[in-house]
């Protein structure tokens, strides 16, 4: 019976990791939202990302969770664990802004970086605990300058060949070109 209630409640209980855009070397703030079916007094969740491109720094609370105490733990393999408990009051049911995960995009970051929720535990004011669903997000890495620059030859006549020079501006290894 408990597993049936857990599966039904997890459909409505969601931890939402928002998409965000950042440039290599930026400190970014990843918004975390939630949608709960009951008032919440405790929340624990973990998120994984590529440790070669992103370093989690801290968790900053949203307005709704100012009465919570939060703890962030860095784990191996790009996993960060976030635990929060109410000092007084609770997070009201419905959709809420939980806070922001502060992270550093390494200068070698590129493309898109996945933010994947692994585990979570939601503790209601009634004392029961359930797991929720994650809505995963990603970081779209923007570049302020181009990586590939094509330098055209000075003169190419019709029916002749020219050599085009390619310059690469990168700070990390190339797998293929």
């Amino acid at each position: 019976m408990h597993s049936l209630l857990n599966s039904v409640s997890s459909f409505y209980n969601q931890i939402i990791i928002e998409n965000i855009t950042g440039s290599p070397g930026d400190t970014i703030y990843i918004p975390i939202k939630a949608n709960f079916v009951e008032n919440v007094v405790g929340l624990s969740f973990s998120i994984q990302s590529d440790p070669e491109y992103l370093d989690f720094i801290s968790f900053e609370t949203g307005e709704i969770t100012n009465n919570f105490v939060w703890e962030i733990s860095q784990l191996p393999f790009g996993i960060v664990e976030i635990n929060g408990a109410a000092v007084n009051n609770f997070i009201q049911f419905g959709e809420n802004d939980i806070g922001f995960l502060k992270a550093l995009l390494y200068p070698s970051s590129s493309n898109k970086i996945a933010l994947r929720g692994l585990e979570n535990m939601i503790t209601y004011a009634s004392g029961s605990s359930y797991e929720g669903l994650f809505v995963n997000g990603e970081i779209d890495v923007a570049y302020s300058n181009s990586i590939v620059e094509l330098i055209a030859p000075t003169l190419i006549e019709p029916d002749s060949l020219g050599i085009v020079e390619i310059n690469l501006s990168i700070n990390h290894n190339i797998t293929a070109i």
Side-chain angles (χ1 to χ4, degrees), residues 39-50:
N39 296 333
V40 173
V41 296
L43 181 61
S44 174
F45 59 96
S46 58
I47 298 173
Q48 183 179 31
S49 189
D50 192 332

Side-chain angles (χ1 to χ4, degrees), residues 38-86:
E38 290 184 37
N39 296 333
V40 173
V41 296
L43 181 61
S44 174
F45 59 96
S46 58
I47 298 173
Q48 183 179 31
S49 189
D50 192 332
E52 292 183 23
Y53 299 137
L54 187 69
D55 182 35
F56 295 110
I57 300 170
S58 64
F59 186 76
E60 298 188 8
T61 62
E63 186 176 316
I64 198 82
T65 58
N66 279 340
N67 59 358
F68 264 55
V69 174
W70 294 95
E71 177 183 89
I72 181 170
S73 301
Q74 290 276 5
L75 303 174
F77 310 113
I79 299 172
V80 62
E81 184 178 81
I82 301 160
N83 297 300

Side-chain angles (χ1 to χ4, degrees), residues 116-172:
R116 185 175 63 136
L118 298 177
E119 297 177 350
N120 65 70
M121 185 60 63
I122 302 163
T123 305
Y124 295 130
S126 64
S128 58
S129 295
Y130 293 100
E131 289 184 31
L133 293 177
F134 275 106
V135 177
N136 294 324
E138 64 185 16
I139 302 167
D140 188 12
V141 181
Y143 295 96
S144 57
N145 54 5
S146 64
I147 294 175
V148 177
E149 180 184 2
L150 299 176
I151 302 170
T154 55
L155 176 64
I156 301 176
E157 295 180 9
D159 295 330
S160 65
L161 295 175
I163 297 174
V164 176
E165 184 180 335
I166 299 175
N167 288 339
L168 296 175
S169 303
I170 57 172
N171 293 330
H172 56 281

